[in-house]
């Protein structure tokens, strides 16, 4: 069932360590490590983890720490961050962390970087950051990359990062895509639901791209949820827990743990909650293997993407793993 476009590109996984309702956060972190092992066995190219602070429904707050656990539990799959939110940290410290990771797991580490500064005012205050700090992302990015090449305004060297080569990626839409292009770095862009915005960002990135020592030509990773199941209904149900948590976050200001799909489907929602919930489900890439293969073929032709970073989360871990297996069968069918 593998198409020419699907077979020619890489598929990777970003897992945000979603906490499930009634389960401890520690379990979500262990599930992330277990999923990484499965992703490696299935032939996925990368496995990335994310950074979120003060979020009840997300356990992944320290991505470089979690990446170390994932890398230690796997052997061949590339491991990285999707991403470290650079405005939250000093670039020297980020360089040192990735230098340690690359030293321990040489040739397997990716450095995915974002420009978010926290979901709420309280989180931003706790981090000692404000919304304006995101505006300095371009300068922060340049400083971070300089630590790997020995350039330093203070004469200090980043140990053990100095002289190492850890591939950087920029997670972005809008202005972030332009920053990635000017820096000559690979771009990770989403989501798959808003196709027009996705295409605008990709076109803007390619048009402005300037070759750098890190990348000679544009490299586009498109990201978003992809759910594959035996029926359209089962695939859509896989996305329901995440859709409700996102809708709740948009309407109440906090992202809750993932609830079972059947609980959400039976929930009485306000008009505003219902609108947000349906909006989260609309346009998602979900369905049977033939349907998903067709949808992937379409988006790959539209974007010319080099890689797909799959970001699916769900309460039902068995169904989630089945989805990743079914997707792997599309891009790497068994002989």
């Amino acid at each position: 069932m593998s198409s020419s476009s699907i077979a020619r590109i890489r598929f990777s996984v970003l897992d945000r360590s979603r906490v499930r309702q009634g389960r401890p956060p520690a379990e979500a972190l262990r599930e992330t490590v277990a999923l990484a092992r499965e992703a490696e066995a299935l032939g996925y190219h990368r496995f990335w983890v994310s950074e979120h602070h003060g979020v009840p429904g997300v356990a992944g707050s320290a991505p470089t720490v979690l990446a170390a656990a994932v890398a230690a539990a796997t052997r061949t799959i590339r491991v990285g961050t999707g991403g470290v939110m650079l405005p939250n940290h000093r670039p020297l410290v980020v360089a040192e962390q990735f230098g340690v990771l690359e030293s321990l797991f040489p040739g397997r580490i990716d450095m995915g970087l974002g420009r978010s500064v926290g979901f709420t005012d309280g989180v931003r205050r706790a981090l000692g950051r404000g919304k304006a700090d995101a505006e300095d992302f371009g300068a922060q990015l340049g400083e971070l990359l300089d630590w790997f090449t020995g350039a330093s305004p203070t004469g200090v060297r980043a140990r053990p990062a100095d002289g190492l080569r850890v591939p950087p990626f920029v997670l972005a839409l809008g202005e972030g895509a332009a920053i990635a292009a000017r820096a000559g770095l690979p771009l990770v862009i989403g989501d798959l639901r808003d196709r027009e915005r996705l295409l605008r960002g990709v076109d803007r990135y390619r048009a402005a791209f300037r070759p750098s020592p890190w990348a000679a030509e544009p490299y586009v990773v498109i990201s978003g949820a992809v759910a594959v199941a035996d029926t359209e209904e089962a695939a859509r149900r896989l996305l329901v827990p995440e859709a409700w948590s996102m809708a709740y976050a948009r309407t109440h200001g906090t992202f809750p743990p993932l609830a079972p799909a059947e609980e959400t489907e039976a929930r009485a929602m306000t008009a505003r909650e219902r609108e947000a919930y349906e909006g989260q489900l609309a346009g998602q890439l979900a369905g049977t293997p033939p349907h998903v293969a067709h949808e992937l073929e379409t988006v790959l032709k539209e974007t010319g993407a080099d890689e797909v970073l799959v970001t699916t989360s769900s309460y039902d871990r068995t169904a989630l793993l089945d989805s990743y297996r079914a997707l792997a069968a599309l891009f790497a069918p068994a002989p």
Side-chain angles (χ1 to χ4, degrees):
M1 192 176 291
S2 176
S3 73
S4 57
S5 293
I6 294 174
R8 72 173 173 78
I9 69 161
R10 295 162 167 165
F11 280 77
S12 299
V13 176
L14 167 64
D15 190 68
R16 294 189 176 93
S17 304
R18 299 301 201 204
V19 179
R20 291 191 286 166
Q21 184 175 287
R23 307 292 183 90
E27 183 176 277
L29 296 172
R30 289 192 292 267
E31 287 172 341
T32 290
V33 175
L35 181 59
R37 293 194 192 98
E38 295 285 352
E40 179 176 74
L42 290 169
Y44 286 90
H45 182 61
R46 310 178 202 276
F47 191 94
W48 283 5
V49 296
S50 63
E51 175 181 338
H52 295 273
H53 299 284
V55 181
V58 182
S61 57
T64 53
V65 177
L66 184 52
V70 169
T74 55
R75 295 186 305 106
T76 57
I77 195 168
R78 296 196 64 87
V79 176
T81 56
V84 165
M85 297 299 120
L86 195 50
N88 293 338
H89 312 280
R90 293 300 306 166
L92 169 62
V93 175
V94 176
E96 290 170 338
Q97 291 172 348
F98 279 98
V100 170
L101 285 170
E102 176 64 20
S103 297
L104 292 172
F105 309 101
R108 291 180 56 205
I109 300 301
D110 297 324
M111 186 167 58
L113 306 161
R115 61 197 292 263
S116 172
V117 288
F119 184 63
T120 66
D121 288 338
V123 169
R124 289 189 288 270
R125 286 196 303 272
L127 291 169
R129 297 293 186 268
K131 289 184 178 180
D133 287 299
E135 303 306 316
D136 295 329
F137 179 68
Q140 295 161 349
L141 181 62
E143 181 184 339
L144 172 61
L145 298 181
D146 283 346
W147 287 117
F148 287 90
T149 59
S152 168
T154 65
V156 174
R157 294 294 182 96
R159 310 291 187 190
D162 188 11
L164 296 181
R165 190 168 182 84
V166 182
F169 296 74
V170 174
L171 283 64
L173 275 174
E175 177 60 23
I179 291 172
R182 288 195 298 270
L185 300 180
L187 175 70
V188 182
I189 186 167
D191 63 34
L192 297 176
R193 294 177 305 142
D194 192 341
R195 202 64 54 82
E196 289 188 6
R197 188 183 184 199
L198 178 68
L199 291 174
R200 285 197 305 270
V202 170
D203 289 345
R204 183 181 184 186
Y205 166 71
R206 287 205 176 101
F209 184 86
R210 299 191 305 210
S212 76
W214 300 97
E217 56 190 23
Y219 189 90
V220 174
V221 184
I222 55 174
S223 69
V226 181
V228 190
D230 291 337
T231 67
E232 301 285 338
E233 294 77 14
R236 183 182 184 276
R237 193 174 302 118
L238 192 65
L239 300 176
V240 162
E242 175 89 352
W244 168 246
S245 289
M246 288 295 294
Y248 191 90
R250 295 289 169 85
T251 54
H252 297 271
T254 184
F255 187 96
L258 299 179
E262 55 271 21
E263 179 179 311
T264 297
E265 290 171 333
R267 186 185 300 273
M269 300 182 192
T270 67
R272 186 162 171 256
E273 288 171 343
R274 176 67 62 181
E275 181 182 10
Y277 170 67
E278 295 294 347
Q280 289 296 321
L281 288 173
Q284 293 279 23
L285 214 164
T288 62
H291 175 78
V292 169
H294 174 74
E295 290 295 313
L296 279 171
E297 186 79 21
T298 299
V299 71
L300 291 173
K301 287 180 178 178
E302 288 175 347
T303 62
D306 302 283
E307 188 170 338
V308 176
L309 182 65
V310 184
T311 64
T312 316
S313 298
S314 191
Y315 182 90
D316 187 337
R317 300 295 296 188
T318 300
L320 178 63
L321 182 54
D322 287 344
S323 175
Y324 275 116
R325 286 172 176 151
L327 179 58
L330 296 180
F331 69 79

